[in-house]
Amino acid sequence: MSGTERGAKAPSRIGAPSGEGEAAANGKIDFDDYSADYDELLRESTKLYAEDSEYFARYKVDLIRGAVRRPIARVLEYGCGTGRNIGYLQAAFPDAEIVGTDVSAASLQVAAASNPQARFEVESEDLELGRFDLIFVASVFHHIPPTQRAGVMETLAGRLAPGGSIDIFEHNPFNPVTQRIVSTCPFDADAILLKPKELRSLFRHAGLQLQRQTYCLFVPPRLSWFLPLERFLGWLPLGGQYWVSAGHAR
């Protein structure tokens, strides 16, 4: 349930990194301010659910890896922040080129130091990266102002290769534990949670076809003996997060 990552193709924080003071002026979080101690802040915010904040990165990438049945040559993590997911993506898709983007240049410096084999780019309106077989987006959209979300989804759709998928994880606004975590997390101060139906609508308006929707993160890792039951609960809107996947219509 991290609140790490962020996005592109819109003014200020969605395009190039915000100028000094701009984020504060428009009420948005400037993730450059959190790049040095992001992991510790995340660990403190999510300890109600899991002591090990790395659990969330492993969990999501494992879900994707288990669902993918096609060759993956290029992976984009949109809004990769300090790169917490990048190592898990590299392990899951060892033959793929891994690219991470974010609006926070300071966060990308941290990510690059920890993941020298991956490529990192600061998001901007004119950023050209080519097409990707898998676009992974983890807890990003709730940081994007609602009026800019459609433009971001169009950017992602334009980067998606035929036969590929955009896989987005978001906080479940119906889950009380998630609500508590978001309300106490300093870099979620600008968060506007979105329901799955909004994400589905964004996919449709970008010309993408829904492939799956499932709720996840029902059971904290300390109750690991219940974890196998999660695969039967995807229909239940009580998970800590939800996962929606879409691709180009065939």
Side-chain angles (χ1 to χ4, degrees):
M1 286 181 232
S2 78
T4 79
E5 305 86 52
R6 291 75 59 186
K9 198 189 176 180
S12 68
R13 73 182 302 277
I14 306 303
S18 301
E20 183 177 355
E22 181 178 342
N26 62 24
K28 304 307 297 176
I29 293 297
D30 186 343
F31 279 86
D32 282 358
D33 296 337
Y34 295 97
S35 60
D37 54 358
Y38 176 84
D39 287 352
E40 183 56 37
L41 289 170
L42 179 62
R43 188 177 300 110
E44 182 65 24
S45 297
T46 59
K47 66 181 181 181
L48 179 65
Y49 188 91
E51 289 292 334
D52 177 14
S53 61
E54 291 288 329
Y55 174 77
F56 302 108
R58 291 193 302 268
Y59 180 99
K60 294 170 190 174
V61 174
D62 284 350
L63 282 181
I64 299 292
R65 176 66 273 183
V68 169
R69 297 289 184 270
R70 63 189 183 277
I72 301 294
R74 303 190 77 219
V75 176
L76 169 65
E77 183 178 4
Y78 178 87
C80 68
T82 57
R84 294 171 51 80
N85 302 312
I86 294 294
Y88 296 106
L89 289 168
Q90 288 178 318
F93 305 102
D95 298 324
E97 177 190 7
I98 308 294
V99 179
T101 67
D102 203 279
V103 297
S104 169
S107 295
L108 292 179
Q109 290 177 355
V110 176
S114 302
N115 302 278
Q117 296 182 349
R119 172 186 171 187
F120 296 95
E121 299 285 349
V122 176
E123 276 290 350
S124 65
E125 292 186 18
D126 58 353
L127 180 61
E128 293 291 339
L129 295 171
R131 300 293 185 93
F132 294 87
D133 305 298
L134 173 64
I135 298 178
F136 177 75
V137 189
S139 302
V140 175
F141 269 77
H142 65 265
H143 288 294
I144 301 171
T147 58
Q148 299 177 5
R149 290 171 180 171
V152 170
M153 188 65 80
E154 290 174 6
T155 294
L156 297 181
R159 293 176 181 175
L160 186 63
S165 68
I166 300 174
D167 292 86
I168 297 180
F169 289 84
E170 264 304 325
H171 295 329
N172 178 12
F174 305 113
N175 183 286
V177 176
T178 296
Q179 293 173 359
R180 171 70 182 278
I181 289 172
V182 170
S183 69
T184 60
C185 183
F187 45 76
D188 274 338
D190 66 349
I192 301 176
L193 301 187
L194 59 162
K195 299 175 183 178
K197 68 178 182 180
E198 180 181 346
L199 203 46
R200 295 195 304 267
S201 177
L202 291 170
F203 276 134
R204 286 195 302 270
H205 283 92
L208 299 169
Q209 188 173 67
L210 186 70
Q211 296 176 345
R212 77 169 65 233
Q213 178 188 311
T214 185
Y215 291 90
C216 56
L217 284 169
F218 290 89
V219 181
R222 62 180 173 273
L223 302 178
S224 59
W225 54 89
F226 289 120
L227 286 174
L229 297 177
E230 289 204 337
R231 62 192 180 99
F232 301 110
L233 300 175
W235 58 273
L236 187 64
L238 294 178
Q241 291 198 346
Y242 61 90
W243 165 29
V244 184
S245 178
H248 292 299
R250 297 180 181 178

